[in-house]
Amino acid sequence: MEEHPEFTRAVRDLVLAGERFRARAGRRHGLNPTALTTLATLHLDGPQSPSELAAPLEITTASMTELLDKLTDLGLITRQPHPSDRRMLRIELTAAGTARITGILDGFATRLEPLADQFDRRQRTAILHFVRAAQRSLLDPEPEPHDDLAS
């Protein structure tokens, strides 16, 4: 299992650094990490329903509703009727929400994108492949634990 511990440690350290960046950026802007992720999701992926926003964060729709209330009060999002289903809502960024999250994401990109210049195209492709594969692996469901006492 320990064939490539440097990869495991490097990915762990990268994940932790990303979490710290998100927490610091959120504090500077008066947002908790979940709010920051929600704004980033809306900016990068477009309008979504509350349940679509809650699912990848693994929070309840009630918790998402509470968060959306706060973001609405801050003037960062609006709730709009769904274009094809009157029973649903679509959450959209306001101009203020777009400006706030764009500034944060620009700070993130400013730190990372120049690093790509240190690598040739083939190396960047390999790094991107590894990062995406690591992401998929980390998002795979956990295997069910074996309960030897049940047998």
Side-chain angles (χ1 to χ4, degrees):
M1 188 70 97
E2 296 272 337
E3 291 179 43
H4 305 288
E6 70 277 11
F7 283 96
T8 301
R9 186 177 191 100
V11 169
R12 185 209 60 183
D13 292 347
L14 177 61
V15 168
L16 291 173
E19 289 173 359
R20 288 178 64 192
F21 178 89
R22 184 175 67 152
R24 283 193 321 260
R27 280 193 303 273
R28 278 194 312 275
H29 292 273
L31 301 168
N32 68 37
T34 304
L36 199 63
T37 298
T38 299
L39 294 176
T41 299
L42 291 168
H43 180 69
L44 297 170
D45 300 331
Q48 296 187 32
S49 71
S51 59
E52 289 171 326
L53 290 167
L57 293 168
E58 297 184 356
I59 63 174
T60 65
T61 53
S63 293
M64 179 54 69
T65 298
E66 185 178 326
L67 173 62
L68 295 176
D69 288 344
K70 290 176 184 175
L71 294 174
T72 300
D73 292 345
L74 292 170
L76 302 176
I77 63 152
T78 60
R79 292 173 165 102
Q80 298 295 324
H82 191 280
S84 61
D85 187 343
R86 294 183 336 188
R87 300 167 296 168
M88 293 182 62
L89 291 175
R90 299 299 280 176
I91 308 305
E92 298 179 4
L93 287 174
T94 62
T98 299
R100 176 102 41 112
I101 195 62
T102 299
I104 295 167
L105 293 177
D106 285 351
F108 189 74
T110 297
R111 292 169 181 253
L112 295 179
E113 289 187 9
L115 300 175
D117 293 335
Q118 300 174 20
F119 303 97
D120 65 34
R121 185 174 176 207
R122 186 181 56 75
Q123 291 170 316
R124 284 192 307 270
T125 299
I127 293 166
L128 192 56
H129 176 77
F130 175 80
V131 169
R132 288 185 175 152
Q135 175 191 11
R136 285 190 304 274
S137 180
L138 291 172
L139 290 174
D140 280 347
E142 295 278 330
E144 291 296 319
H146 296 285
D147 187 358
D148 293 333
L149 298 176
S151 28

